[in-house]
């Protein structure tokens, strides 16, 4: 039976409108709960550049949630290197410090690890209900997964994939990031309107800070002094002093935002202003983090959702949720320089400085269905 595509929503302005933030582990269907994507798998070399992308090397990984796949893109050429299928409803993807590629399967309640040299699984583990995002500590020792269906944060040993802790957090945990100094992880609780500050050394919540309507994702500076929060319900981005536990600045953006990403020097923050499926955004806002003002707006595809910046701070990549592409952004000119077709409903995105390994145009992995005997969660997240 074909799955009817289900979307998680967060209320905007008293539920007058809703921001589409995609499905993780919801709906009904066949084994594993996957919908067959109507979007063809992109082939190597497919792209529609407007001009040559900048001087950058590495691999960009994209999680195609409704395509049940990950796309690996050569950052130097903006060409698809390979497409890995079989990871059902991957909402987020993250490259670890050692190059290992981590993703979560929303339908299978699974954490998966891939070897980028072979594109094969190196391990899997069960998550909680409806996993949303996965991140690693800066030293690569710990993996954190937000379980939106049960309001917890799963903590794993990256070497063994053993779960070492489960942390109770606020309602609807979604996006999260570590501080650059490796001291804290900050979690955006979409339903609660808060961010939780989790101490990495103890896996304890040291603060829960009200921030505004429907926080979807955070960015945290290197020193762990400030967090920046996308507020989908307010169409704004807030700056939070983590020591004072209070919002110290905010700025409106062009449409309800989802993911955020800081440049390496911390002076600029990119906000992917997705909007809604009915009124899609098509820009990334460039924010001055000191003044909390929008200094520029970069045109992207329809529904910019995920964003990542390379290690030089000169190139960024953005997933366009509603047209199944990514935009390549030159941050020296604040222009989109290439558009790359990927899979169906691209969401999370991550960058590795290591170029893609040679491999097949596509391959399929088999991931255990840890959700097979678990009840379906009705918790909303994006």
């Amino acid at each position: 039976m074909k799955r009817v595509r289900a979307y998680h929503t967060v209320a905007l302005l008293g539920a007058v409108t809703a921001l589409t933030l995609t499905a993780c582990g919801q709906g009904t269907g066949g084994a594993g709960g996957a919908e067959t994507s109507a979007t063809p798998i992109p082939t190597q070399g497919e792209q529609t550049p407007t001009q040559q992308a900048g001087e950058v090397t590495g691999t960009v990984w994209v999680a195609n949630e409704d395509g049940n796949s990950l796309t690996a893109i050569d950052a130097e050429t903006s060409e698809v290197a390979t497409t890995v299928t079989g990871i059902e409803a991957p909402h987020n993807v993250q490259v670890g410090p050692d190059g290992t590629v981590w993703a979560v399967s929303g339908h299978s309640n699974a954490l998966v690890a891939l070897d980028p040299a072979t594109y094969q699984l190196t391990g899997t583990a069960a998550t909680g209900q409806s996993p949303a995002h996965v991140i690693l500590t800066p030293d690569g020792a710990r993996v954190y997964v937000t379980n939106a269906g049960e309001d917890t944060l799963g903590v794993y040993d990256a070497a063994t994939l053993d779960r070492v802790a489960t942390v109770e957090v606020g309602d609807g945990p979604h996006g999260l990031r570590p501080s650059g100094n490796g001291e804290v992880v900050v979690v955006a609780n979409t339903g609660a309107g808060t961010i939780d500050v989790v101490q990495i050394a103890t896996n304890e919540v040291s603060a829960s800070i009200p921030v505004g309507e429907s926080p979807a994702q955070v960015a945290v500076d290197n020193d762990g002094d400030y967090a920046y929060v996308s507020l989908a319900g307010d169409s704004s981005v807030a700056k939070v002093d983590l020591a004072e536990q209070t919002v110290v600045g905010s700025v409106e953006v062009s449409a309800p935002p989802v993911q955020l990403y800081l440049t390496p020097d911390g002076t600029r923050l990119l906000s992917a202003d997705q909007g809604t499926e009915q009124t899609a955004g098509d820009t990334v806002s460039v924010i001055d983090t000191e003044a909390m003002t929008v200094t520029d707006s970069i045109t992207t595809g329809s529904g910019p959702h995920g964003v990542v910046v390379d290690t030089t701070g000169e190139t960024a990549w953005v997933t366009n949720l509603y047209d199944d592409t990514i935009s390549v952004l030159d941050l020296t000119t604040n222009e989109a320089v290439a558009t790359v077709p990927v899979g169906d409903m691209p969401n999370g995105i991550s960058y590795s400085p290591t170029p893609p390994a040679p491999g097949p145009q596509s391959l399929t992995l088999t991931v255990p269905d840890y959700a097979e005997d678990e009840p379906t969660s009705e918790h909303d997240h994006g």
Side-chain angles (χ1 to χ4, degrees), residues 58-77:
T59 307
V60 179
W61 286 88
V62 178
N64 307 302
E65 188 161 10
D66 278 11
N68 303 314
S69 64
L70 303 178
T71 300
I73 298 167
D74 189 322
E76 184 176 17
T77 64

Side-chain angles (χ1 to χ4, degrees), residues 28-54:
T28 58
E35 176 187 13
T36 302
S37 169
T39 302
I41 294 174
T43 58
Q44 291 174 319
E46 270 192 293
Q47 64 165 331
T48 54
T50 56
Q51 66 184 71
Q52 183 62 40

